[in-house]
Amino acid sequence: DFVPLDDISVWTPTAGASEKTLYPRNEKLDQKISLYSGDITKLEIDAIVNAANKSLLGGGGVDGAIHRAAGPMLKKECASLRGCDTGEAKISCGYGLPAKYVIHTVGPIAQGGVGEEEKEALRSCYKNSLRAATTNSARSVAFPCISTGIYGYPPEQAVHEALATVREYLDEHHNKLDRVIFCVFLPMDKELYMKTLPLYFPAA
Ligand code: AR6
């Protein structure tokens, strides 16, 4: 029941779908974005991103799902990585997963509210994960909605940091990546991304 890249449809903006786009169209990015709704552990792509914690030894949420699907060898390699700071990213093999690599990043914990520090940390998660992907020649990478589960970052704010950071990275490095997949798990997040994607990846 793995999902190969070819089965993940490319997100295409509808012309005139949005009045206030935040970035101009970059036609080089037209075939590079996907919005996928479902379990990230099923994706048969180069790299999936894990919303981990500083220990990198596993936990709940998407982290737990990834470790369960990858098997015990993942935890073994993660132990050798000796943790990860907030906003940083470390790469491992995918083991039992259909993805070749797992990029572990640690999102900010949003307690009560989101300040400039949390915002910058979340942006760093996306940027450093993309860097880890391209450094390792991974050309397809999927992101979960980092920090918006157990870590409590408001999804309607997080989506802007996610999309802006990916947009800016792709503007600069479009030749290094074939596809960036936003993997949403909750119906609410799917709606949020459908509504927000045209602001960052407009048709015109
Ligand atoms: N595939 C894709 N997305 C998923 C999946 C899945 N299988 N399962 C959950 N999500 P969370 P965080 C979504 O809590 O907020 C862990 O204990 C979920 O609906 O996994 O960054 C770590 O060890 C949400 O939209 O990550 C840390 O301690 C998104 O993934 C802490 O949780 C992120 O939710 C990290 O918290």
Side-chain angles (χ1 to χ4, degrees):
D1 57 344
F2 294 160
V3 181
L5 183 61
D6 286 348
D7 287 2
I8 303 171
S9 58
V10 169
W11 183 81
T12 43
T14 319
S18 167
E19 302 97 73
K20 49 170 182 94
T21 64
L22 296 169
Y23 290 75
R25 180 183 178 206
N26 178 349
E27 68 283 347
K28 290 197 177 79
L29 312 187
D30 277 358
Q31 302 297 311
K32 292 194 188 285
I33 300 294
S34 289
L35 177 59
Y36 178 82
S37 186
D39 186 353
I40 203 166
T41 67
K42 304 294 182 193
L43 303 184
E44 198 174 351
I45 59 176
D46 289 344
I48 63 169
V49 175
N50 180 17
N53 60 62
K54 287 182 175 181
S55 79
L56 297 186
L57 297 177
V62 70
D63 193 8
I66 287 171
H67 275 273
R68 268 194 306 279
M73 288 296 290
L74 179 63
K75 191 168 171 182
K76 215 169 169 179
E77 183 176 356
C78 282
S80 79
L81 299 176
R82 306 206 165 274
C84 184
D85 285 331
T86 303
E88 299 294 316
K90 291 191 177 178
I91 195 163
S92 74
C93 292
Y95 300 99
L97 292 163
K100 193 167 163 198
Y101 299 112
V102 180
I103 296 165
H104 308 267
T105 190
V106 182
I109 300 171
Q111 297 163 315
V114 173
E116 206 52 41
E117 193 179 322
E118 288 75 24
K119 197 170 142 172
E120 274 313 309
L122 187 58
R123 283 184 176 239
S124 294
C125 286
Y126 283 90
K127 187 164 186 176
N128 286 323
S129 296
L130 290 166
R131 273 198 195 128
T134 55
T135 301
N136 290 278
S137 303
R139 300 195 59 89
S140 50
V141 53
F143 284 98
C145 302
I146 300 165
S147 278
T148 67
I150 293 160
Y151 279 180
Y153 203 114
E156 61 282 358
Q157 292 177 43
V159 65
H160 288 281
E161 311 316 327
L163 295 183
T165 309
V166 170
R167 165 74 204 233
E168 283 164 26
Y169 192 86
L170 283 179
D171 278 341
E172 222 178 313
H173 304 284
H174 54 84
N175 54 322
K176 293 183 193 159
L177 287 159
D178 296 326
R179 195 84 67 83
V180 176
I181 300 152
F182 296 100
C183 178
V184 292
F185 200 61
L186 308 173
M188 208 191 69
D189 286 324
K190 189 184 181 183
E191 272 182 52
L192 189 58
Y193 272 76
M194 280 175 30
K195 194 175 77 182
T196 315
L197 271 164
L199 305 181
Y200 293 88
F201 300 93

